[in-house]
Each structure stands twice: as structure tokens, then as C-alpha cells.
Amino acid sequence: MSMNQRTRYVLVGGAGVMAVGLAGGLAAWVSSSLPSLALAQERPDELRYVPPEATILSFANVREVMDSDLRRRLREIQPELDGQREFQERTGIDIERDIDYVVGGLVPDGSDDTTGIAILAGRFDTERLEALALQHGGAASDYQGRRLITIGDESAAMAFLESGVIAIGSEALVKRTIDLPSSGGGVDADDSLMGLLRHVDSGSTAWTVGRLDNPGGGEWLPDQVESQVSQVAAFAIGARVNGGVSGRLTAEARDEETGRNLRDLLQGLLALARLQMGSRPELRGLLDSLRLTSAGANVTLAFDLPADAVLELLPDRPDANAANAP
Amino acid sequence: MVDANARPAFGRAALRVFDLGLGQMLWSRRTVFMALIAGGPVLIAALLRALASLPTFDAGAGQIGGRAVSLDGPDIFGLMIWTFYLRFTVPVLGVFYGTALIADEVEDRTITYLFTRPVARGAVLAGKYLAYLACTAVVVLPSVTIVYFLVVPLLGGSIGRNFPALLVDLGLIGAGLAVYGAVFALVGAWFRRSLLTGLVFVFGWEPLVVVLPGYMKYLSVAYYLQGLAPHAMPQGDALSVIQALLTSVQTPLATWVNLAALALIWTVALAAAMRAVERREFVLGQ
Amino acid sequence: MSPPVIAAHGVSKWYGQVIGLNNVTVSIPPGISGLLGPNGAGKSTLLKLVSGQLKPSQGHVQVLGEPIWGNPKAYRRIGYCPDHDGFYERMTGRDWLTALLGLGGFDDDRAARAAARALDTVGLTDAADRKIGGYSKGMRQRIKLAQAIAHDPELLVLDEPLAGLDPLGRRRVIDVIRAWGREGRSVVVSSHVLHEIELMTSNILLLNNGRILAEGNVHQIRDLIDEHPHTVRITADDPRRLARRLLGYSHVIAMQLQDGAVIAQTNRPDVFYTELTALAAGDEVGAVREVTSPDDNLHAVFSYLVNQ
């Protein structure tokens, strides 16, 4: 080797910087990915009651929202939600305290339509709820050892799945929910859908993930926009609610080119929205907080709204300054 | 007496030339120049880091042109990768080193010793080219890595979450050094005023054709590199304008097309450069 | 009769509008051959064509029975020592030789052994691990020769190998070349000093203005040279003392000091060089650094030959 000592030092030095940098970056990347894995482990158990055919799945930690600083600010402005007292008087459920979280799923019903199922976890007075249903023309029966209450013309039903867990949806879907544990499990075993949770930040208060194999309902959009949206294969949105609302929406396009086009489209829409900010000043906080990035076929829109910006967005909100006044 | 058949194979000969040429290249006058242009972004990054540590620094909400701009560390890093490295450092190093692969040996009158050895002249060029790649990579890639760690954590950016983008950036810069180096090795083998030709290509031709409509942009390296850049630029209005200036129109090409185009340019340029060196006479001045 | 080591047929070489070699046809036999001619005669061009660095504009060149241009396989059999002074200055002599031998297909061990042998042959073993940038002019000439002989080639092509050497260095290099010839190998060596060539061989090729003037006729040249005083420029640590000493020789017919160097004219160059070498070996006049010979007198001889 004719390479001299000095040259070797430079090569080793450069390689050393790279090795340390890449090792450090890799360690940081692994540790930042771990919370996502942890989130997967923290999936609510109630996901097993959502049928595996579900294409869209949602979760909301109601208790955390109610305990958040943002909710406290809202409560100062508007001490009580519309109809909250009446709801509590009739059902015995205080939505500020009694509901821990809600899991929901949208399931195709065989035709072009979808039906929904909601699983509520918390503390419920089941007898009072059953009595209320019967009082409004509902019928109670036992199904697979669980109490099933159908309401009205049997299009809606409610079942007490276990202590503190209620399923609400169409009768057929609620019955399917009851059957699930004995017929192969729920959506929590669907890696394709659950895998989308990797786009959701750890500790998110609420999230929704979905696969759009045959997206529809965008007919009201301009043709160009609709054609781009129809190329979205899946999406995930996660948000954390505390002092404000922060999170990100990720769309998985069908291929990289579509991903780029979608990013360009969103960039254009954001630019358009900014142009119109003069007539909608309340949107300034929201638009300023948006950050668009893309990697491969994925396009991500991150947002971080402080409490004030959220309050700005409330329709017909009372004068915040008056509420804060001594 | 000699064994007339004892002659190193092409690859082995290229590695021998690499070994011989690396030290010469690394300690040449150009190294000072390279250290300056690779060290510049590091200094700027350190300055930004120092500014960010000031208590008066208003994190997150910058104002450009009177409009609010949402900008964080990864955005700044992406901007630096594009402006400092991909559009300046990489092509400039390609020009200065690529055109000099053989020209330096001619100027120093050492080419005689290489071209009177029983190795293909193409292997000499290949070895010098490998030395160029190692020499530039060993300075530029650590510079990018250092800038990443200085800039990305600013304004709430995450080193971990953006790490895959760093890998893409490093790969992109490596590809840029390889392709520009091959193109300018060809320019060096073909043209007498190769440095001037190279500079015109980098600072005249490429910036012009990538913004022109039509097919001229396909005759550049920057266009394909641009299509592979992983960073979406910041969304503030003023920065969007900067982005538009720097990246021109969005590329409609898929990643594999950009990669294939770069691979094609690299192969053709390097093969043509080797062929040119094989056929050309290098007459040393008295 | 042995086949020629170099065969050129109708070879011309132009550098743009300038002619370097003009329709040269020549066969150089095995053994030591001298190429004599003034600067610009075409010696270097012919040797570059022979070593495969240049392509003939016209005609063809064969070396050791093979065409040479674009035939790197044949380079393994040739050792070339250029006239110009260009090196990897930051490398040591040993590293440089080892690296070049590696390029010639030697593995590391063989390359190290061959480099050590070549360094010993040219008397640079003590300076082998010093950077070439720190070498004297004579040492640089010798390391150039070392790289030409290190791979043990069949044919040595040496372009002005004695230029700038001190007397002892000249003696050593001449000895190396003569030993090479005694071993039955071939050498083509160029110079513009007849006396230098004579010390190595009597087989001389005269070249002027890109043409071969004569082959092998050394006696006529000898007589002509004797009619034209030979000029020698000597750089030494103590030029005045050296000049005083040289003035004592009867064959020195003129002497002057110029820019710290001694310019001497002699009508017996063979005797002059022998006595100068003896002086340099002793302590009497201090170190003699460099001996060169302006080729004015050779120009005069060649003008005479051409006009005959």
C-alpha cells in the first residue's frame, strides 16, 4: 500500500464521523419508533369486538379529552355542552367522567353502503339504560348469554358485552360483535389495517385509520381533486389533545408518482387557502400550523394548533375575552 | 528476465492506481478548496445552532416577507441539502476533480509513469476516478452528517424520525458525486478547456434547462437528482417562492426512472471517458 | 542475425504544424545503442514513439517484434526513463517504486524486493525512505532510472539519463547501463553529448531536425567533435577553487565563471571527464553538484554534417 499515514488518518477520521453519526441516528430512529410499537401494544382490548371486515377504525380517549387543558378552557367559555345535562338525567351517564374511551368501526354491509359499530368503555348503569330503551319501545332479549336490546324497527341495537363495555350499532352488526370472540377474532388481528397505526404518534388521544380500496363519495369534489383523492389507498390521522391539538394526517397513495401529485395538489390547496386568509382570519392559526411533507408514496400533513387557535375556530363562540374577564 | 504475461487485470490495476492516486489527490491544492466548500455548511449550521440557543430566539414562527412561515430543523436541513450540497458542492467538486483526473498527471508530468505500465489506460482513469470518489466522499458525507445533527434538532425537529431522510440524502449526494464525476471525467478527456466547459455546464446549462419547458432538461444531471430529493420544502409563501426558484417545476418522473437515468449517464460517461483516454495522446510540454 | 529490438518504418510525427520526426526508417539491433542529436532533433519524440506514448502520424513502429501503440501488454518488457522532471513529490522513493511495480503486476512482496534491488543498483538505498521532494537533482535522475529498471525489462529506453548528474552519479549510471548491456539486454539511450554516448556504446544513431543522419559511424563524428571545442558547465560548492584547479589541465582551453558555475572548454572531453570525476571523488575542490553540457558545439558539428 502506497497510502501514507496522514491519508489513512483522514480516511479513518471521515469513516469514524460517518459511523458515529449513522449509529447515533439509527439509535434515535429506533427509539423514536419504539413508542409506535408501544402504541400497538396499547391498542384497546375492545378492538376485538370490531368485525375484521371493518375498513375504517377509530379510537378516542374521551376521558383524556375531558381532562385536557383545552377542555378546561372550553369549559370556562361554555360550562356545559348542549343537551349534556338532559342526557345525563335520562341515561345516568356523565360524559365528563363516565366514558373512558370509544372505539368505532365502519363495516361494508354487502351493498355499496356501510354500517357502523361503536364500542364504549366506561361506567354505565345498565339497568337504567335497558329501562330507558324499553320505555321508548325497545325490546330486550338474551343473545349468546348477553343482554341485547333492539330499538325501534330493529335497525338499531345495543348490547352489554361485558362489565363496563357497551356495543351500539345495527342489530346484525351488534350480534356479529357478540359472536366474534368465538368466531376467529376481530379487527385487531388485521395486520393491514392495524399496520397503519405506525403513522400515528405515540400517546395520541384520538386516531382514525382506514383503507380505501374502493373510495367513493367524492363526487362533490372537482374532477381533478376527486381523481387524486381516489388514488389514496389508505390514511391515518392521529391527534393529541391537551393544551391544544397536535397531530398528523398521513395518506398512502397507490404509487410514488401519485404521492407526488397528491402532495402538489395539497400544496396548491394550502396556497389557495392562504390567499383567502384575508376574508377568514380565524383560519390563520390553523394554516400557519400546517406542514406538508412527503416520502415515497406517503404524504403527511402535520398540524399543531395552540388552544387559542382552536377556540378561534369554534362557530358562534362566546366572547373569550368576556369569559376570561374577572 | 521479465514474465511478459505478468500483467494486472483491469480491476486490480484500477485499485493500484486508486491506492497511488488517493494520497496525491487528498493532499493536493484542491483539498483546501474542498474543505472550504464542505466546511461552509457546517459553519452555517453551527451558527444557526448558536442562534437557536439564544434566549431571544423566537422558535417556530419566522416572518419572511411579512408572512408567517412555519419552519423547523428538518425543513432547514432539507433546504441546506438542496442549496449547498446538491446544487453547489457536488457539481463543483465534480467539475474541479473530474476534469483534473488526467489533467493533473499531465501537468505534474507524472502521467508518463502510469501510461508506460502494462495496464489499460482506462484502468488508470478508473483508478483515479475511484480516488476522486473516496476523496470527496470522505470530506462531504461527514460534513452532511454533522450538519444533520446540528440543524435537525432545531425548532422541535426529531433526529430519529428524520434519520431515513438522512440516509436518502447521503445516498443522493454519493450518487451526485459519482455521476458528476463521470460526466466531468469525460469532459476532461475530450475538451482542452475542460474546466471552463465544466463550469459552463454547471452554472450555465443546468440551471437554465431545468426551468425551461421541453425536453432539454433531460440533458442534465440536476433534473434527475432533483426528482430524488426526499425533502418537501417548507410551506411558507416566501419559502415556496425560493423552492420554486431552486427546484423549478416538479419532476413528473418516477423514482426508478430518475435512478435509471442517473445510472445510464454514469455508465455512458465513464465508458466514453475511458475510451477517450485510451485513444488520446497526452503530449507533455517541455 | 538477431531480429531488431526496434523497427521503425516510414515513421513521421507532427505536433500540429510542427514536425517532430520526418519519415524515419530505422532498425536498432540488440545491445546498447546511442541516440545522439541536439535539442529539438527528435530524440525524445522517437523514444516516446518507441515506448508507446505517442502514435505515429505516419508509418509504424514495432518494439521487440510487437506493435507498441495501444498495446500495454508489451510495456511490461520495456523500461522507460523520461527526460522530464515530474514526480509524486510527497512519496518516498521506495513507496513510489513499489507502487509502480504493483501496477506492473508485482504482488506486494515481490514489489518490495524488486524496489530494494533497484534502489541499491542506483545507489539510493540510504535515501529510499525520504520523500522524493527532498531529493537532489542527481538523486531524482537516479530514482527515474530505478523505476525503469526495477521490473527487469528486456529493453531500456533512456531519454537523457545523465543530464544534471554529478560526476559520481554519471559514473554510476553509465556503469548500470553498461552492465545491463553485458547481460545481453538492450538499451537505447539518448544524449546530446557524444562523449557520454561513447562511454556506453560505439553504436550511434545521429538524429537532426527529425531525420536520421547516420548510423554507427562514430569515427567521423569523433574527428569532427575534436575540431569543435566541447563546453562543460559545472556547479560546485567552491567554483573558484575548481576553476583554478581546472586551469592547470592542458586540454582545458578556456574558462569562465558565470552565475556561480564554472564554464570550461576542452578539446579532449574524454580526458576532461575522467579527471573531473577523480577531482569530485577527492576533497580538493569540495562537492561537485552538477555537470551539464550545452550543445552549441554539437549544433555546429551537425550543421557541418548537414551542409556537407
Side-chain angles (χ1 to χ4, degrees):
Chain A
M1 291 284 279
S2 52
M3 208 180 289
N4 67 21
Q5 199 77 6
R6 252 189 340 162
T7 304
R8 282 198 200 99
Y9 285 148
V10 171
L11 290 183
V12 170
V17 170
M18 291 303 294
V20 170
L22 292 179
L26 185 65
W29 178 69
V30 168
S31 63
S32 73
S33 301
L34 284 177
S36 299
L37 299 174
L39 181 71
Q41 291 164 356
E42 289 167 9
R43 295 171 196 165
D45 289 344
E46 286 68 21
L47 284 175
R48 66 197 155 105
Y49 291 120
V50 179
E53 310 85 77
T55 52
I56 294 177
L57 198 60
S58 292
F59 165 82
N61 190 330
V62 179
R63 188 63 188 269
E64 202 170 296
V65 172
M66 293 305 172
D67 290 346
S68 68
D69 289 344
L70 179 65
R71 173 70 188 134
R72 185 184 54 75
R73 291 279 303 273
L74 277 169
R75 217 178 279 129
E76 286 169 0
I77 298 166
Q78 191 176 1
E80 198 170 87
L81 299 173
D82 291 342
Q84 182 180 343
R85 185 184 301 273
E86 187 187 351
F87 179 77
Q88 185 175 350
E89 282 171 358
R90 296 180 66 179
T91 63
I93 298 172
D94 177 359
I95 58 172
E96 297 278 349
R97 289 202 311 263
D98 290 340
I99 301 175
D100 289 338
Y101 51 84
V102 179
V103 171
L106 276 182
V107 182
D109 71 350
S111 62
D112 287 345
D113 211 354
T114 53
T115 54
I117 179 84
I119 314 290
L120 283 72
R123 287 153 295 286
F124 309 112
D125 184 342
T126 53
E127 287 177 7
R128 188 166 172 176
L129 288 172
E130 184 178 334
L132 182 67
L134 295 176
Q135 193 183 330
H136 285 80
S141 60
D142 281 339
Y143 179 79
Q144 302 284 0
R146 294 202 173 78
R147 200 71 179 149
L148 177 72
I149 296 159
T150 52
I151 303 160
D153 57 356
E154 301 185 355
S155 62
M158 174 171 68
F160 303 113
L161 300 174
E162 56 186 278
S163 172
V165 180
I166 300 174
I168 300 173
S170 67
E171 183 183 357
L173 207 50
V174 170
K175 281 182 173 174
R176 172 122 172 75
T177 294
I178 294 170
D179 292 337
L180 275 177
S182 59
S183 64
V187 74
D188 56 336
D190 177 359
D191 290 339
S192 141
L193 198 57
M194 300 315 291
L196 292 171
L197 284 175
R198 68 181 180 277
H199 296 305
V200 176
D201 289 332
S202 163
S204 291
T205 316
W207 50 257
T208 298
V209 295
R211 293 225 159 266
L212 304 174
D213 296 329
N214 186 20
E219 295 81 5
W220 55 275
L221 294 167
D223 287 347
Q224 196 188 353
V225 178
E226 189 194 348
S227 70
Q228 292 299 329
V229 171
S230 69
Q231 292 300 310
V232 175
F235 71 94
I237 180 168
R240 183 167 202 160
V241 179
N242 195 5
V245 182
S246 62
R248 55 190 173 121
L249 162 65
T250 302
E252 282 187 4
R254 298 197 188 281
D255 53 52
E256 287 186 17
E257 189 176 343
T258 315
R260 272 196 299 272
N261 291 340
L262 185 62
R263 184 188 72 181
D264 293 347
L265 175 75
L266 288 172
Q267 256 174 352
L269 291 175
L270 285 174
L272 190 66
R274 285 195 177 92
L275 284 175
Q276 296 177 344
M277 218 154 55
S279 58
R280 300 287 305 277
E282 70 276 13
L283 293 177
R284 173 180 284 273
L286 172 64
L287 290 172
D288 283 350
S289 83
L290 294 177
R291 212 171 59 245
L292 188 64
T293 55
S294 71
N298 294 346
V299 180
T300 299
L301 190 64
F303 54 91
D304 186 2
L305 277 171
D308 288 339
V310 176
L311 297 178
E312 285 278 350
L313 292 172
L314 289 180
D316 306 324
R317 74 186 188 93
D319 186 349
N321 292 334
N324 288 333
Chain B
M1 199 59 79
V2 299
D3 172 6
N5 295 319
R7 182 177 173 230
F10 186 95
R12 190 171 170 76
L15 286 177
R16 292 282 189 179
V17 176
F18 163 78
D19 187 31
L20 181 64
L22 181 61
Q24 306 304 316
M25 206 175 274
L26 199 57
W27 301 110
S28 69
R29 293 178 295 275
R30 283 188 191 83
T31 306
V32 178
F33 167 72
M34 177 167 67
L36 281 178
I37 65 171
V42 176
L43 283 178
I44 291 170
L47 196 65
L48 283 174
R49 191 65 190 258
L51 279 174
S53 65
L54 294 177
T56 52
F57 187 74
D58 182 14
Q63 292 271 330
I64 294 182
R67 308 292 292 266
V69 174
S70 173
L71 198 64
D72 63 7
D75 292 333
I76 300 170
F77 179 67
L79 208 57
M80 290 179 78
I81 284 289
W82 186 251
T83 51
F84 290 141
Y85 290 101
L86 286 173
R87 290 305 288 269
F88 185 74
T89 304
V90 168
V92 165
L93 290 182
V95 169
F96 279 90
Y97 280 87
T99 56
L101 291 183
I102 297 296
D104 267 4
E105 300 281 351
V106 174
E107 191 186 326
D108 294 344
R109 296 165 175 244
T110 47
I111 193 77
T112 305
Y113 302 113
L114 300 178
F115 281 180
T116 51
R117 302 293 137 184
V119 296
R121 290 180 172 196
V124 173
L125 182 87
K128 296 281 291 179
Y129 173 77
L130 287 177
Y132 146 78
L133 272 188
C135 181
T136 49
V138 84
V139 174
V140 175
L141 298 186
S143 157
V144 172
T145 309
I146 292 169
V147 168
Y148 176 81
F149 280 92
L150 286 172
V151 168
V152 166
L154 295 178
L155 308 174
S158 160
I159 284 177
R161 194 177 297 157
N162 291 283
F163 181 64
L166 170 67
L167 295 181
V168 176
D169 284 329
L170 292 173
L172 204 53
I173 287 168
L177 287 171
V179 178
Y180 275 115
V183 167
F184 295 121
L186 175 62
V187 170
W190 264 358
F191 295 95
R192 295 229 175 262
R193 292 169 184 262
S194 54
L195 183 60
L196 180 67
T197 310
L199 289 173
V200 167
F201 181 83
V202 167
F203 294 113
W205 175 260
E206 286 210 314
L208 184 69
V209 295
V210 294
V211 296
L212 286 178
Y215 296 102
M216 301 292 270
K217 56 180 168 287
Y218 297 127
L219 298 174
S220 73
V221 177
Y223 178 68
Y224 304 106
L225 284 178
Q226 177 179 303
L228 292 169
H231 301 279
M233 292 294 166
Q235 298 306 304
D237 291 340
L239 283 177
S240 296
V241 173
I242 296 172
Q243 179 195 8
L245 284 173
L246 295 173
T247 63
S248 72
V249 290
Q250 290 294 318
T251 172
L253 300 178
T255 299
W256 75 267
V257 177
N258 288 314
L259 285 172
L262 290 174
L264 182 70
I265 295 171
W266 179 78
T267 309
V268 170
L270 208 53
M274 285 195 272
R275 188 178 158 84
V277 169
E278 292 277 2
R279 293 176 160 228
R280 189 176 153 188
E281 291 175 309
F282 292 87
V283 179
L284 305 185
Q286 294 300 311
Chain C
M1 186 181 168
S2 304
V5 288
I6 296 169
H9 184 76
V11 173
S12 297
K13 182 67 191 173
W14 293 283
Y15 302 103
Q17 299 293 316
V18 179
I19 191 155
L21 218 53
N22 190 0
N23 197 25
V24 167
T25 297
V26 66
S27 283
I28 299 179
I32 303 176
S33 301
L35 204 56
L36 185 67
N39 280 344
K43 301 189 299 291
S44 291
T45 298
L46 180 59
L47 295 187
K48 281 175 183 165
L49 285 162
V50 164
S51 58
Q53 296 173 75
L54 295 179
K55 182 184 179 184
S57 308
Q58 216 170 56
H60 60 265
V61 180
Q62 284 211 324
V63 178
L64 299 170
E66 293 184 75
I68 192 70
W69 169 253
N71 182 17
K73 189 162 61 76
Y75 300 169
R76 177 73 181 83
R77 304 168 69 191
I78 302 171
Y80 175 72
C81 176
D83 60 336
H84 58 253
D85 186 62
F87 293 96
Y88 296 119
E89 306 281 351
R90 285 179 290 269
M91 291 181 85
T92 67
R94 187 190 305 281
D95 285 347
W96 186 57
L97 287 194
T98 310
L100 292 180
L101 284 162
L103 269 178
F106 285 61
D107 62 35
D108 289 347
D109 285 344
R110 279 184 61 216
R113 283 199 303 274
R117 201 165 47 239
L119 286 162
D120 182 54
T121 303
V122 300
L124 280 177
T125 302
D126 291 344
D129 297 313
R130 279 166 50 193
K131 287 185 178 169
I132 297 175
Y135 281 7
S136 68
K137 188 162 185 186
M139 292 162 88
R140 291 161 82 89
Q141 281 291 87
R142 282 186 278 154
I143 195 78
K144 273 199 306 195
L145 179 63
Q147 64 81 32
I149 63 173
H151 59 288
D152 202 19
E154 294 170 48
L155 169 65
L156 270 182
V157 179
L158 311 176
D159 198 353
E160 301 273 5
L162 303 179
L165 283 172
D166 60 77
L168 295 177
R170 292 165 93 88
R171 182 78 262 161
R172 182 182 280 273
V173 169
I174 288 169
D175 286 347
V176 168
I177 293 168
R178 289 170 68 171
W180 204 267
R182 277 199 302 275
E183 289 171 17
R185 286 181 280 194
S186 301
V187 183
V188 178
V189 55
S190 78
S191 175
H192 58 266
V193 181
L194 174 65
H195 167 72
E196 287 178 354
I197 298 279
E198 270 190 314
L199 289 175
M200 295 178 271
T201 180
S202 59
N203 185 25
I204 294 177
L205 211 68
L206 295 178
L207 204 62
N208 191 40
N209 287 332
R211 287 178 181 276
I212 300 284
L213 292 183
E215 288 181 69
N217 188 355
V218 73
H219 302 296
Q220 186 188 7
I221 302 295
R222 171 83 268 169
D223 295 342
L224 284 167
I225 292 289
D226 287 346
E227 290 171 18
H228 295 80
H230 180 74
T231 307
V232 183
R233 185 177 190 279
I234 309 154
T235 312
D237 284 355
D238 191 347
R240 290 185 182 282
R241 251 169 86 189
L242 176 65
R244 276 199 300 274
R245 189 73 178 78
L246 289 175
L247 272 176
Y249 295 137
S250 58
H251 50 81
V252 174
I253 56 176
M255 176 81 68
Q256 71 178 103
L257 282 168
Q258 192 179 71
D259 301 330
V262 179
I263 313 286
Q265 281 196 339
T266 173
N267 53 13
R268 294 286 308 280
D270 47 348
V271 179
F272 178 87
Y273 281 114
T274 306
E275 293 189 350
L276 181 63
T277 305
L279 268 180
D283 294 336
E284 202 178 338
V285 294
V288 175
R289 299 290 172 194
E290 188 180 337
V291 179
T292 53
S293 172
D295 56 359
D296 300 353
N297 55 332
L298 201 62
H299 266 301
V301 173
F302 274 79
S303 298
Y304 174 82
L305 279 174
V306 172
N307 294 328
Q308 256 188 340

